Amino acid sequence: DVAHSLGKESQAKEKYPLLFELTQNATKWSALQFLPDVVRLQHALTTCFSHKMYPEDAEKITIKNAILEIATTDEEKDALFDYLKGFRTAWKAVKGLVMHHRTSITPDIVDGFHDGSDSTPLVYFLPYESGKGLCSL
């Protein structure tokens, strides 16, 4: 793999600065491929729930039940669950970075998110400027 080969190169950072930077941040870059899924899922959820539901109420419904509630066809349900899968994959890719760097997302919020399992409360997926909604941002 490229990162391993560059690690063997004594002056890789100076010789190949862009390639070196890309390989050092591969985790962050890999999460970008799932950004369309994250945006599509958030759009669907915020369209249906954001202005109609307080965070306290969003704590009481799971992401699975929210998707089942808003999907009107099997195709739409399948698409929303695919978007959720992309959201989960993106979160797993950046979770360590979020925990390592000082962010507003506290360890208890990360633990409560459960990597976005079907039983995770909807509040984690609706974008809010503080609290559990920060995971979706």
Side-chain angles (χ1 to χ4, degrees):
D1 106 319
V2 176
H4 181 70
S5 297
L6 279 177
K8 291 181 178 180
E9 180 77 35
S10 63
Q11 295 182 340
K13 190 173 184 176
E14 293 77 28
K15 281 183 169 180
Y16 314 104
L18 182 58
L19 188 57
F20 184 82
E21 181 65 27
L22 287 172
T23 59
Q24 295 303 304
N25 294 298
T27 302
K28 288 187 245 183
W29 295 109
S30 69
L32 288 176
Q33 69 182 316
F34 300 101
L35 190 57
D37 289 343
V38 172
V39 171
R40 288 181 186 118
L41 179 64
Q42 282 189 334
H43 180 265
L45 295 173
T46 55
T47 299
C48 292
F49 296 110
S50 187
H51 299 292
K52 302 172 189 169
M53 188 176 288
Y54 291 105
E56 304 83 44
D57 297 326
E59 285 271 1
K60 298 173 187 168
I61 185 171
T62 66
I63 185 61
K64 179 181 179 180
N65 289 338
I67 288 174
L68 293 175
E69 184 176 320
I70 64 174
T72 56
T73 65
D74 286 342
E75 292 81 18
E76 190 175 41
K77 179 182 72 170
D78 292 344
L80 289 168
F81 278 112
D82 284 345
Y83 302 155
L84 177 59
K85 183 180 177 185
F87 190 108
R88 289 175 179 149
T89 305
W91 174 253
K92 287 177 184 176
V94 299
K95 178 181 173 183
L97 298 169
V98 168
M99 294 303 299
H100 180 70
H101 298 287
R102 292 179 181 241
T103 67
S104 300
I105 301 176
T106 60
D108 60 313
I109 291 174
V110 172
D111 291 341
F113 186 64
H114 305 295
D115 288 333
S117 70
D118 287 349
S119 61
T120 300
L122 176 62
V123 71
Y124 287 96
F125 296 91
L126 295 175
Y128 295 107
E129 292 180 3
S130 63
K132 296 173 181 173
L134 287 171
C135 289
S136 67
L137 297 174

